[in-house]
Amino acid sequence: MNISVQRRMAAEILKCGIERVWIDPTQLERVKMAMSKDDIRALIKEGVIKKKQKKGISSARVKKLKEQRKKGRRRGPGSRRGAAGARTPQKERWMATIRALRKTLKQLRDTGKIDRKVYRKLYRMAKGGAFRSRGHLFLYMKEHDLLKQ
């Protein structure tokens, strides 16, 4: 049974491709009798002809991978492209370190564990890149007896 003309008209009315037009297989005789666009519109209203849903791309796999990455998985050396400096730029690393050091120095000064002169000296040293981390800063202070007990 050839209903290609009816299918084409339905596609025009539904504003979709011919492949997305669904015709009820039990009502094929009625569809074949439809000769005008008005007849097709009537069949669409009755639900004999419908527009199929678009086929999409599932994002389930992407979501699953994102969840894994959030947990810290899939970040090993085999998944990395680009140098360490490209993944976290040197400036960002420096900013994280210097902010931690300055925050620590301020806390030590405010609690009275170091005086203002020592604070200034260590602040300048930190700015000059003398300390790798907070741990390194504390080690330096211990070695030079700068912490008040």
Side-chain angles (χ1 to χ4, degrees), residues 20-148:
R20 278 181 67 201
V21 174
W22 177 84
I23 298 168
D24 189 352
T26 59
Q27 305 282 332
L28 288 176
E29 274 301 321
R30 280 183 65 201
V31 174
K32 193 171 184 195
M33 297 309 294
M35 286 296 157
S36 67
K37 279 192 174 182
D38 283 334
D39 297 339
I40 298 289
R41 281 191 194 97
L43 290 171
I44 288 169
K45 204 165 197 174
E46 286 176 42
V48 176
I49 298 173
K50 291 179 186 171
K51 180 160 60 167
K52 283 187 200 168
Q53 193 175 8
K54 266 186 179 174
K55 285 193 180 97
I57 299 166
S58 173
S59 60
R61 287 181 297 279
V62 174
K63 281 179 189 168
K64 196 175 175 186
L65 284 175
K66 269 187 143 177
E67 281 295 316
Q68 292 273 289
R69 288 221 174 88
K70 211 182 256 184
K71 289 184 203 168
R73 318 283 193 275
R74 310 185 76 89
R75 290 188 182 274
S79 302
R80 290 179 205 161
R81 297 192 62 172
R87 288 169 67 86
T88 49
Q90 283 181 327
K91 185 168 183 177
E92 276 181 31
R93 211 169 58 228
W94 164 256
M95 278 160 44
T97 310
I98 198 68
R99 282 172 184 170
L101 288 171
R102 285 174 177 170
K103 190 177 177 184
T104 306
L105 286 169
K106 278 182 192 115
Q107 283 172 349
L108 290 170
R109 181 195 62 193
D110 294 343
T111 53
K113 295 219 171 125
I114 57 172
D115 60 4
R116 278 174 56 223
K117 273 190 176 174
V118 173
Y119 167 78
R120 264 291 127 218
K121 181 189 173 200
L122 293 174
Y123 190 97
R124 280 202 210 96
M125 284 178 76
K127 184 180 176 161
F131 310 115
R132 291 187 299 274
S133 60
R134 287 176 71 239
H136 192 209
L137 171 70
F138 283 116
L139 187 72
Y140 179 87
M141 287 193 294
K142 238 178 227 153
E143 283 174 358
H144 293 82
D145 292 324
L146 298 173
L147 277 170
K148 290 180 189 170

